[in-house]
Amino acid sequence: MTDNKIQVASDGTLTVPAHVAIPFITGDGIGAEITPAMQQVIDKAVQVTYGAERSIVWKEVQAGQHAFDTLGTYLPDDTLKDFADYHIGIKGPLTTPVGGGIRSLNVAMRQGLDLYVCLRPVRWFKGIESPVKHPEKVNMVVFRENTEDIYAGIEWKACSREARHFYEFLHDEMGVTKVRFPETSAFGVKPVSIEGSKRLVKAACLYAQSQGSNHVTLVHKGNIMKFTEGGFKNWGYEVNDECFGGNVRMDDCICDAFLQNALLKPEAYDVIATMNLNGDYVSDMLAAQVGGIGISPGANINYEQGRAVFEATHGTAPDLAGTNQANPCSLILSGVMMLEHLGWTEAAKLVTAALETLFGDGYATADLARFMDNGKPLGTKEFADALCDVITK
Ligand code: NAI
């Protein structure tokens, strides 16, 4: 298997073997249906493009409810180790443990592997119903910082001993008098670092250059949170000067204005670099704008270490599990991102083209087909089969 492992140079460049091993997590709920669908479609595209010369050697690893039931842990150490060793992996949705030690498996994986970029491309497919008049004008890629900000998980419950202690520190040692109801306040901490911000913005700039737009918009709330969000903005501009000689076309926008502008003039934006909380809101709003919250793909990446985990962005849809109705497109498009990341772009293009063909003809799973003028609903398996049928050179 060693020969099938991706090698990573010190600058993060990948050397991808022809028959590359990719660890995958099937996922809970609908994962059992959408993950095989994704593998079937990706395998077909690779086979049509490269014949016997290239293939993906899928290696199953465990996480989620299934791992808990069989191994007694939601996230086995071996799974993180495999993702680290093999560098690139893909995952279906995971049940969030209720009342356990882990708040979120996804957050634990992002932090455990230091996957500091959450990458979300947002584009519209012809045929997909959208709530806006011109969804074709939306074509953006969001770089969301994944490891810092108010999402770092540093917070204390209202009225707890820790919250009181924290307030005493604020009041007695830092001279803070602005907490309106100190006795009953919960507290959270928002760490935002120079390194964390700069590596995120640098990755966004490199991506913008590689795609030819060379245009990055920093989305922040620095008018109010001057040191954290304002710091992010300032360090972003510094990165442009320090690493790119100021040659990236960079601008910035206050987050609330961005949410408005993205609806009114989406064509003004290309690559968005933003912090964790803003990025969460922005990604879902943009995905909804192209009618695709159920089909938007995502990836979590550390470019320096050459690590990436591609993922469905929706949850386990327990209401659909086992019914052959789940839409596999979020995971399939994440597989497309994975192929692009591996440099197997010809195969990636075939899948995208096949999706365009099927959607254009009204074929989709029921969640999308019911809103299409000429919608013809297909089951998960039948949709994957139909995609494979139209994947040709
Ligand atoms: P959900 O995304 O699973 O479902 C929300 C709604 O969207 C449901 O009506 C569902 O039927 C529909 N839906 C979701 N994916 C679909 C698909 N592929 N095709 C068609 N319809 C789809 O969110 P919910 O119900 O809040 O969470 C269920 C579980 O998933 C929870 O344990 C939650 O923590 C977990 N979750 C995991 C995520 C991940 O692993 N990335 C992300 C979000 C939730």
Side-chain angles (χ1 to χ4, degrees):
M1 190 62 91
T2 313
D3 292 337
N4 295 338
K5 275 188 186 171
I6 291 169
Q7 302 296 319
V8 179
S10 54
D11 65 353
T13 311
L14 307 183
T15 303
V16 180
H19 301 282
V20 60
I22 300 286
F24 73 97
I25 297 169
T26 298
D28 299 317
I30 57 172
E33 293 148 80
I34 62 173
T35 299
M38 176 277 295
Q39 290 171 312
Q40 179 190 348
V41 170
I42 297 298
D43 282 344
K44 176 73 192 278
V46 171
Q47 185 258 320
V48 167
T49 313
Y50 309 111
E53 281 174 22
R54 291 188 198 175
S55 67
I56 291 179
V57 182
W58 299 100
K59 174 183 164 56
E60 181 155 24
V61 296
Q62 300 297 326
Q65 194 63 45
H66 184 253
F68 187 76
D69 295 342
T70 52
L71 304 167
T73 168
Y74 283 101
L75 187 57
D77 290 343
D78 280 351
T79 296
L80 281 185
K81 188 173 173 309
D82 278 337
F83 275 133
D85 284 353
Y86 288 83
H87 298 285
I88 306 292
I90 188 162
K91 61 175 274 291
L94 296 173
T95 305
T96 302
V98 179
I102 294 183
R103 280 187 176 202
S104 156
L105 291 174
N106 296 309
V107 174
M109 286 182 74
R110 287 168 194 168
Q111 290 183 346
L113 295 166
D114 194 24
L115 304 171
Y116 65 87
V117 171
C118 178
L119 184 63
R120 293 274 203 102
V122 189
R123 61 152 287 189
W124 177 70
F125 282 92
K126 191 161 181 276
I128 300 284
E129 180 74 10
S130 155
V132 298
K133 280 187 187 155
H134 291 290
E136 72 283 358
K137 290 184 178 173
V138 184
N139 192 0
M140 297 181 215
V141 177
V142 179
F143 277 70
R144 163 187 167 192
E145 205 290 325
N146 233 353
T147 62
E148 300 196 309
D149 199 359
I150 201 77
Y151 273 28
I154 309 168
E155 57 174 341
W156 298 285
K157 206 171 170 179
C159 307
S160 65
R161 192 177 60 80
E162 291 82 0
R164 281 204 196 94
H165 189 57
F166 186 69
Y167 177 69
E168 277 165 19
F169 167 74
L170 286 181
H171 184 270
D172 299 348
E173 300 201 25
M174 304 297 286
V176 173
T177 54
K178 288 183 193 164
V179 181
R180 180 69 186 82
F181 297 110
E183 293 301 318
T184 59
S185 287
F187 291 96
V189 177
K190 181 180 171 78
V192 180
S193 69
I194 297 175
E195 292 96 315
S197 301
K198 284 191 171 178
R199 67 179 180 172
L200 183 278
V201 176
K202 184 176 173 189
C205 291
L206 287 169
Y207 182 89
Q209 289 196 326
S210 75
Q211 299 301 304
S213 76
N214 199 31
H215 176 209
V216 174
T217 304
L218 307 170
V219 173
H220 62 92
K221 196 73 187 149
N223 55 333
I224 306 292
M225 291 169 271
K226 297 191 189 300
F227 298 131
T228 50
E229 306 250 347
F232 176 83
K233 179 191 78 171
N234 295 338
W235 301 323
Y237 280 111
E238 280 176 28
V239 163
N240 190 11
D241 290 339
E242 290 162 4
C243 304
F244 303 95
N247 287 325
V248 173
R249 191 156 59 87
M250 187 174 277
D251 47 31
D252 72 276
C253 191
I254 303 288
C255 194
D256 41 322
F258 175 79
L259 291 171
Q260 213 182 125
N261 294 347
L263 276 170
L264 300 174
K265 47 169 187 170
E267 65 277 14
Y269 299 106
D270 297 295
V271 174
I272 308 303
T274 189
M275 294 164 57
N276 212 336
L277 176 62
N278 294 333
D280 201 359
Y281 298 155
V282 161
S283 307
D284 276 17
M285 195 278 281
L286 291 175
Q289 211 167 315
V290 292
I293 198 142
I295 63 164
S296 62
N300 300 290
I301 305 180
N302 180 316
Y303 287 94
E304 283 75 29
Q305 293 171 354
R307 286 182 188 159
V309 177
F310 297 82
E311 65 175 0
T313 54
H314 53 73
T316 59
D319 51 326
L320 294 181
T323 67
N324 192 38
Q325 290 179 66
N327 185 343
C329 290
S330 172
L331 198 56
I332 289 173
L333 285 165
S334 298
V336 169
M337 289 173 73
M338 183 178 80
L339 290 175
E340 287 166 350
H341 195 81
L342 295 174
W344 296 9
T345 45
E346 304 89 338
K349 280 183 190 151
L350 285 189
V351 181
T352 309
L355 280 168
E356 283 166 353
T357 303
L358 284 198
F359 290 149
D361 291 345
Y363 291 105
T365 45
D367 55 311
L368 299 177
R370 67 190 154 151
F371 298 117
M372 294 168 153
D373 290 342
N374 59 345
K376 304 172 191 82
L378 296 177
T380 313
K381 174 83 183 83
E382 291 68 32
F383 182 76
D385 289 344
L387 265 179
C388 287
D389 286 346
V390 292
I391 290 178
T392 47
K393 266 200 175 172

